[in-house]
Amino acid sequence: MKILVDAHTFSVDHPTGVSLYIRNLLLALSRIDGKNEYTILFNAFRRGYSERIRAAFAGLGGNFQMEFSRFPSTMNRRLRDWLWYDLYLPHQVCRCRPDVLFCPDFIAPTRVAVPVVVTVHDLCPILYPEFSERAVWYAPRRQIGTSIAKAKFAMADSECVRRDIIRLFGAAREKIVTVHLAADPRFQQPPVLEAREGIARKYGIQRPFALCVGSPNPRKNIRRLVAAFGLARREGGVEHELVIAGPYTESACNRQEGVRAIGYVPDDDLAALYHAADFFLFLSRYEGFGIPLVEAMSCGAPVITSDRGTMKEIAGDAALLVDPCAVRAIADGIIRLANDAPLRENLETKGLKQAKLFSWDTAAAETLAVFEKAAR
């Protein structure tokens, strides 16, 4: 079977979200599948990108071939999408003659004559347009809906997203398949005590501390979390510092005492931070999956997360669930976990067990099964 993968949206600057999904899934497919042939289409529009992409995918097997285009990044988004999805990608399909075209980032071309598998990670651009970047989505219901209609199968990151796809687009249930994501394997390796202390020194963090990973996007809810943490420190005797990891999050701190942002953190450092933190906070208002939840649980960090949607599905009973829209409820959860060591130990044990339910090798095997069904 020949599989053509559209990975042109992969970013090597600060891989997050879909980029991490593409990397981890392809590396896992390489581990379990040495038989089928894969051609991966990347966009190396900046100098040095091809070398950095090759380094990011250095573990791919010999049955994986990488090819690079050079679409300029400054091009108008609509024009770039039209050139890629309506002209370039159909041309590549005709050239490569794959059995399946895999589109891992929401959008699939409509003018191709091969079975298509598309991954729809979430429906945030439709359900919460106020949280979505207009530069990325100019007609999300049409873009995503057309891709789902064209695809032979659409994969969703969670049961919550699968149900939303079926409800909003009237898609056949058997056409939408849930494939859960996972944490990178490096998050399962516990660091020695010296590493935990060292990571705190590296970033100038005062222990004890709580950790949050996110971005400035309002759906990540960091401003409300910061307000709740301040309330917990003032009224609940919480002595922890809140450390926020993620690009461009400095403005969310609002100069509040006991809260600091450390910017983008490489995966190796992030794993050590999870291990060193007393607990982890993930109060997003909407997620397709929420990989940081599994990362934190894999590292033994007790978790506070949202009591709704995908967060509740992924965390199960292994986290303290609170209303992400209520500052008082978040603060009460912080006070409870910060001051209750036995509760933290209980959630750590449950979290380690819960995290083992999610594996990239499992996700790869389930994805491969979808490819095989699509190619029939």
mmCIF file of all heavy atoms in Angstrom, residues 160 293 305-317 321 354:
data_model
loop_
_atom_site.group_PDB
_atom_site.id
_atom_site.type_symbol
_atom_site.label_atom_id
_atom_site.label_comp_id
_atom_site.label_asym_id
_atom_site.label_seq_id
_atom_site.Cartn_x
_atom_site.Cartn_y
_atom_site.Cartn_z
ATOM 1 N N CYS A 160 -15.535 13.101 22.262
ATOM 2 C CA CYS A 160 -16.264 14.374 22.275
ATOM 3 C C CYS A 160 -16.252 15.021 20.896
ATOM 4 O O CYS A 160 -17.293 15.486 20.409
ATOM 5 C CB CYS A 160 -15.648 15.318 23.304
ATOM 6 S SG CYS A 160 -16.011 14.899 25.010
ATOM 7 N N LEU A 293 -2.292 17.195 29.305
ATOM 8 C CA LEU A 293 -2.874 16.394 30.388
ATOM 9 C C LEU A 293 -2.152 15.063 30.533
ATOM 10 O O LEU A 293 -1.776 14.652 31.632
ATOM 11 C CB LEU A 293 -4.364 16.130 30.113
ATOM 12 C CG LEU A 293 -5.381 17.179 30.503
ATOM 13 C CD1 LEU A 293 -6.780 16.711 30.101
ATOM 14 C CD2 LEU A 293 -5.334 17.441 31.994
ATOM 15 N N THR A 305 -8.024 20.002 36.246
ATOM 16 C CA THR A 305 -8.433 20.318 34.884
ATOM 17 C C THR A 305 -9.926 20.617 34.818
ATOM 18 O O THR A 305 -10.639 20.566 35.829
ATOM 19 C CB THR A 305 -8.062 19.171 33.915
ATOM 20 O OG1 THR A 305 -8.222 19.627 32.569
ATOM 21 C CG2 THR A 305 -8.928 17.939 34.140
ATOM 22 N N SER A 306 -10.404 20.913 33.635
ATOM 23 C CA SER A 306 -11.798 21.330 33.420
ATOM 24 C C SER A 306 -12.746 20.153 33.581
ATOM 25 O O SER A 306 -12.434 19.019 33.204
ATOM 26 C CB SER A 306 -11.941 21.938 32.027
ATOM 27 O OG SER A 306 -11.026 22.995 31.836
ATOM 28 N N ASP A 307 -13.930 20.455 34.090
ATOM 29 C CA ASP A 307 -14.916 19.407 34.373
ATOM 30 C C ASP A 307 -15.854 19.176 33.193
ATOM 31 O O ASP A 307 -17.004 18.797 33.374
ATOM 32 C CB ASP A 307 -15.734 19.773 35.613
ATOM 33 C CG ASP A 307 -16.575 21.038 35.442
ATOM 34 O OD1 ASP A 307 -16.431 21.726 34.387
ATOM 35 O OD2 ASP A 307 -17.375 21.360 36.340
ATOM 36 N N ARG A 308 -15.368 19.376 31.981
ATOM 37 C CA ARG A 308 -16.241 19.272 30.815
ATOM 38 C C ARG A 308 -15.482 18.765 29.595
ATOM 39 O O ARG A 308 -14.252 18.756 29.553
ATOM 40 C CB ARG A 308 -16.867 20.632 30.492
ATOM 41 C CG ARG A 308 -15.847 21.711 30.164
ATOM 42 C CD ARG A 308 -16.494 23.093 30.148
ATOM 43 N NE ARG A 308 -17.040 23.409 31.462
ATOM 44 C CZ ARG A 308 -17.700 24.527 31.730
ATOM 45 N NH1 ARG A 308 -17.900 25.416 30.777
ATOM 46 N NH2 ARG A 308 -18.172 24.753 32.937
ATOM 47 N N GLY A 309 -16.244 18.302 28.616
ATOM 48 C CA GLY A 309 -15.715 17.959 27.302
ATOM 49 C C GLY A 309 -14.591 16.955 27.323
ATOM 50 O O GLY A 309 -14.561 15.995 28.102
ATOM 51 N N THR A 310 -13.633 17.196 26.444
ATOM 52 C CA THR A 310 -12.528 16.265 26.255
ATOM 53 C C THR A 310 -11.658 16.142 27.491
ATOM 54 O O THR A 310 -11.147 15.059 27.789
ATOM 55 C CB THR A 310 -11.669 16.725 25.059
ATOM 56 O OG1 THR A 310 -12.493 16.769 23.889
ATOM 57 C CG2 THR A 310 -10.522 15.781 24.820
ATOM 58 N N MET A 311 -11.469 17.233 28.235
ATOM 59 C CA MET A 311 -10.624 17.164 29.425
ATOM 60 C C MET A 311 -11.166 16.140 30.409
ATOM 61 O O MET A 311 -10.417 15.320 30.958
ATOM 62 C CB MET A 311 -10.510 18.533 30.088
ATOM 63 C CG MET A 311 -9.571 19.492 29.392
ATOM 64 S SD MET A 311 -10.234 20.172 27.843
ATOM 65 C CE MET A 311 -11.522 21.257 28.450
ATOM 66 N N LYS A 312 -12.471 16.142 30.608
ATOM 67 C CA LYS A 312 -13.090 15.175 31.507
ATOM 68 C C LYS A 312 -12.950 13.758 30.957
ATOM 69 O O LYS A 312 -12.720 12.794 31.692
ATOM 70 C CB LYS A 312 -14.564 15.528 31.701
ATOM 71 C CG LYS A 312 -15.296 14.666 32.711
ATOM 72 C CD LYS A 312 -16.721 15.157 32.899
ATOM 73 C CE LYS A 312 -17.469 14.308 33.935
ATOM 74 N NZ LYS A 312 -18.867 14.793 34.116
ATOM 75 N N GLU A 313 -13.084 13.612 29.636
ATOM 76 C CA GLU A 313 -12.948 12.297 28.993
ATOM 77 C C GLU A 313 -11.546 11.736 29.160
ATOM 78 O O GLU A 313 -11.372 10.554 29.509
ATOM 79 C CB GLU A 313 -13.278 12.428 27.502
ATOM 80 C CG GLU A 313 -13.038 11.160 26.692
ATOM 81 C CD GLU A 313 -13.233 11.371 25.197
ATOM 82 O OE1 GLU A 313 -13.975 12.303 24.809
ATOM 83 O OE2 GLU A 313 -12.625 10.616 24.407
ATOM 84 N N ILE A 314 -10.535 12.549 28.918
ATOM 85 C CA ILE A 314 -9.154 12.074 28.954
ATOM 86 C C ILE A 314 -8.681 11.870 30.382
ATOM 87 O O ILE A 314 -7.986 10.891 30.693
ATOM 88 C CB ILE A 314 -8.224 13.051 28.225
ATOM 89 C CG1 ILE A 314 -8.659 13.221 26.765
ATOM 90 C CG2 ILE A 314 -6.777 12.590 28.298
ATOM 91 C CD1 ILE A 314 -8.784 11.924 25.991
ATOM 92 N N ALA A 315 -9.043 12.741 31.300
ATOM 93 C CA ALA A 315 -8.568 12.655 32.686
ATOM 94 C C ALA A 315 -9.270 11.558 33.479
ATOM 95 O O ALA A 315 -8.673 10.960 34.373
ATOM 96 C CB ALA A 315 -8.745 13.998 33.388
ATOM 97 N N GLY A 316 -10.542 11.286 33.163
ATOM 98 C CA GLY A 316 -11.285 10.292 33.936
ATOM 99 C C GLY A 316 -11.349 10.704 35.401
ATOM 100 O O GLY A 316 -11.605 11.864 35.725
ATOM 101 N N ASP A 317 -11.084 9.743 36.294
ATOM 102 C CA ASP A 317 -11.096 10.052 37.724
ATOM 103 C C ASP A 317 -9.691 10.314 38.249
ATOM 104 O O ASP A 317 -9.459 10.288 39.467
ATOM 105 C CB ASP A 317 -11.749 8.917 38.515
ATOM 106 C CG ASP A 317 -10.921 7.633 38.495
ATOM 107 O OD1 ASP A 317 -9.958 7.543 37.702
ATOM 108 O OD2 ASP A 317 -11.231 6.717 39.290
ATOM 109 N N LEU A 321 -11.417 17.832 39.075
ATOM 110 C CA LEU A 321 -12.168 18.536 38.035
ATOM 111 C C LEU A 321 -12.867 19.755 38.624
ATOM 112 O O LEU A 321 -13.532 19.659 39.665
ATOM 113 C CB LEU A 321 -13.202 17.598 37.406
ATOM 114 C CG LEU A 321 -12.662 16.288 36.812
ATOM 115 C CD1 LEU A 321 -13.806 15.439 36.270
ATOM 116 C CD2 LEU A 321 -11.645 16.570 35.715
ATOM 117 N N GLN A 354 -3.714 6.177 34.425
ATOM 118 C CA GLN A 354 -4.538 6.714 33.345
ATOM 119 C C GLN A 354 -3.710 7.002 32.105
ATOM 120 O O GLN A 354 -4.133 6.732 30.972
ATOM 121 C CB GLN A 354 -5.245 7.995 33.812
ATOM 122 C CG GLN A 354 -6.189 8.629 32.800
ATOM 123 C CD GLN A 354 -7.496 7.869 32.636
ATOM 124 O OE1 GLN A 354 -7.750 6.886 33.327
ATOM 125 N NE2 GLN A 354 -8.341 8.331 31.730
#
